[in-house]
Amino acid sequence: MAYRPAFPVAALAEHDPFRLAVLASWYERESPVRISEVTLATFLRRRLRAGGADHRPPMLGAIDGAEVLLCGSDRFERHRRSFLDELATALEEVPELHLLLVVRDDALGEALEPAGGLVQAPPAAYALEPLRPKAAREVVEAPLHRAGRPASGAEALVRELRTVRTGNGVQTTARVQPVLLQLAFGRLWERLSGESEISAARLRIEVDNALKDFCAHSLSTIAADHSLLATALCSWFRSVFGGPQGRAGVPAVRAYEDVPKAVVHALQDAHLIRARIGDGGLFYEILHPRLIEPVRQLGAGPVPIRRPGSSARLHQARRALADGDPELARRHAEAVVRGYGDDDLRGLAATTTFLGDIAYECGDAETAVARYRDAAAIFEAVPDNAAVGWLLTGIGRILLADDPGQAVRQLRAAAGRLPHELSIQTALGRALCQAGRTRAARAVFEDVLGRDGANREALIAKRALSGIA
């Protein structure tokens, strides 16, 4: 649900952000304008008809982060409920559609009821479990085999990742967390590339160090993102999750009292903890008991933060905005902008456009216009005529209420670049109407409706102009 097309959202007429996120992620090459204009069922039926086959194969759709859609939303509650209705209608009217909803464990209880309302039969639920030892060994053996290394190291690594050492002795877990396997194997691959064998003692040290570095880096990054002291967050995490309670589970109520709820969710997203619904409600526990030993070894001081590349960090920005944290989204996006060089003007322009989207969704029209202007100037240098046209459209739509004369100028410029886009013509008609030029506005609306008699925005605007509605 965090997916966003590289398109200025202000350029769209009133739209459902949930439909836009879902369909834009399913059909990345489709115009966001086309997506925003029709319901989900209508859009999917058109796609099926375009296929032209007598036998229509199943249409498989997945929505990751679906808790944003299934659970309550302070920002877009009306749109959320509307899109759930659209989704239910699509599942009924488009039998080829099979839907997979991916939700966090801590949202499962709240998500099941609305998910069940989408279809008549109860939805099937599947838990994504950690790897069994055999599967974990196979994951490691494949690259070892390709590199011509002995596969015996796979057995030792999996055994070490299943070994939990406590004051009461040594225990062996039944499963292996994939993220821990990836971290430990990646470190061993880098550090021991020239060695064919490794002792059990050294393997334990290397695995501990890999997991400790992972925890320290993740905690420092989360602290920076949420304006917390890294030392304080690290100390809290070590005291809460580095002992028996980390394995037994910490009540969510207590966790939320200690740190902001957004931080708890960030810890979960970083694969440090996981949610568990048990007797008495929601609990958070350490992701895997094998992490407890490295967590206890965490030092008191902060560690350098290794930020991901521009693409991954831009995804973090989009996720933050979807989660309702525009300030964190802005900080991530501005950091991405600072990291671009002169050789990636398109990336710079797209991220600057996203910064305009953030401002627009926060109601900061002045900043949104400024960001869109900056992005348009960069796209002009790319050059990308269509992108400039849509940015001018976004600026024009923002200015409709307060400066219709300037809106007309921006939208005329946009229409000159994209003369066949009816949504731009309709916006221009609205701007002309706002500027008191009703005759010109009527002519624009009639031209649009002559080409698309069902154009909703033009129909509404023309009725308003005629005093019918």
Side-chain angles (χ1 to χ4, degrees):
M1 290 302 302
Y3 185 86
R4 298 178 70 95
F7 188 91
V9 293
L12 300 171
E14 185 180 358
H15 66 284
D16 189 315
F18 295 98
R19 185 201 306 147
L20 181 65
V22 170
L23 286 179
S25 67
W26 289 358
Y27 303 101
E28 293 186 9
R29 296 185 178 181
E30 189 65 53
S31 164
V33 176
R34 307 287 180 270
I35 289 171
S36 69
E37 290 176 339
V38 296
T39 65
L40 180 64
T42 300
F43 183 87
L44 294 179
R45 282 197 298 267
R46 288 178 182 175
R47 297 288 302 195
L48 286 170
R49 285 197 297 268
D54 294 333
H55 172 69
R56 294 176 175 176
M59 179 179 283
L60 307 179
I63 302 177
D64 195 6
E67 64 273 2
V68 176
L69 171 63
L70 296 171
C71 304
S73 168
D74 293 335
R75 298 171 63 222
F76 299 115
E77 183 61 16
R78 177 174 64 86
H79 292 106
R80 185 186 74 86
R81 291 181 178 275
S82 174
F83 186 67
L84 281 174
D85 290 340
E86 278 193 30
L87 205 52
T89 300
L91 287 166
E92 181 180 357
E93 296 182 357
V94 186
E96 294 85 357
L97 177 61
H98 299 265
L99 188 63
L100 172 66
L101 301 174
V102 183
V103 300
R104 299 153 65 122
D105 290 344
D106 56 354
L108 183 61
E110 188 179 355
L112 279 176
E113 182 178 349
L118 297 175
V119 289
Q120 293 183 353
Y126 298 91
L128 191 60
E129 299 287 352
L131 297 173
R132 295 186 182 277
K134 182 176 182 294
R137 287 194 300 271
E138 291 173 351
V139 169
V140 177
E141 286 170 354
L144 288 175
H145 178 73
R146 288 194 298 269
R149 298 186 191 178
S152 57
E155 174 68 35
L157 177 59
V158 171
R159 184 170 56 250
E160 176 58 37
L161 287 171
R162 296 173 60 209
T163 301
V164 179
R165 301 169 182 88
T166 66
N168 298 324
V170 178
Q171 300 174 350
T172 302
T173 63
R175 293 178 180 264
V176 178
Q177 274 289 344
V179 66
L180 305 189
L181 182 65
Q182 181 182 17
L183 287 164
F185 182 63
R187 185 183 185 98
L188 292 171
W189 186 272
E190 291 177 0
R191 298 202 170 204
L192 308 175
S193 58
E195 302 180 29
S196 59
E197 297 291 338
I198 179 174
S199 68
R202 187 174 178 194
L203 178 62
R204 175 184 174 182
I205 292 172
E206 292 292 346
V207 169
D208 275 348
N209 287 339
L211 300 184
K212 182 172 65 175
D213 289 350
F214 162 69
C215 292
H217 170 257
S218 298
L219 289 167
S220 292
T221 302
I222 292 169
D225 286 347
H226 295 272
S227 302
L228 301 173
L229 287 174
T231 52
L233 182 61
C234 187
S235 176
W236 171 81
F237 188 83
R238 185 173 57 243
S239 65
V240 172
F241 292 100
Q245 194 172 10
R247 191 170 184 179
V250 179
V253 174
R254 180 196 159 184
Y256 298 154
E257 288 175 350
D258 292 343
V259 296
K261 190 174 183 178
V263 171
V264 177
H265 288 169
L267 293 170
Q268 193 177 358
D269 292 340
H271 305 291
L272 292 174
I273 62 175
R274 65 178 183 177
R276 172 174 56 81
I277 299 175
D279 294 338
L282 177 65
F283 295 82
Y284 290 102
E285 60 190 24
I286 197 82
L287 180 72
H288 189 274
R290 183 60 181 85
L291 275 178
I292 292 177
E293 190 174 7
V295 167
R296 287 173 175 166
Q297 299 170 11
L298 289 173
V303 300
I305 296 175
R306 300 185 302 274
R307 291 289 188 181
S310 58
S311 178
R313 193 157 190 195
L314 187 56
H315 175 75
Q316 290 178 342
R318 290 169 175 157
R319 177 64 183 269
L321 187 60
D323 288 344
D325 193 342
E327 177 58 25
L328 179 57
R330 182 190 62 78
R331 294 205 307 269
H332 279 317
E334 287 182 343
V336 172
V337 165
R338 290 193 296 271
Y340 279 120
D342 295 337
D343 58 341
D344 193 359
L345 290 179
R346 185 173 293 278
L348 176 60
T351 307
T352 305
T353 300
F354 176 61
L355 283 165
D357 291 346
I358 295 172
Y360 174 71
E361 293 189 10
C362 290
D364 185 353
E366 183 178 354
T367 300
V369 167
R371 295 290 196 181
Y372 283 165
R373 289 191 193 280
D374 290 344
I378 301 168
F379 271 126
E380 196 77 84
V382 169
D384 188 331
N385 183 66
V388 175
W390 286 119
L391 284 159
L392 293 174
T393 304
I395 294 170
R397 283 190 179 273
I398 291 173
L399 296 174
L400 269 174
D402 297 328
D403 192 348
Q406 182 62 21
V408 168
R409 287 188 285 275
Q410 297 295 322
L411 290 164
R412 282 199 188 281
R417 291 173 181 268
L418 299 167
H420 302 296
E421 290 291 346
L422 297 186
S423 67
I424 299 177
Q425 296 290 340
T426 306
L428 174 59
R430 290 180 57 196
L432 288 166
C433 186
Q434 288 285 100
R437 300 165 64 180
T438 55
R439 182 176 298 178
R442 187 184 302 277
V444 170
F445 294 143
E446 289 176 351
D447 177 64
V448 170
L449 292 171
R451 289 188 273 174
D452 177 12
N455 189 292
R456 183 171 179 271
E457 187 181 13
L459 284 169
I460 293 173
K462 187 181 178 184
R463 289 195 193 108
L465 186 62
S466 303
I468 298 175

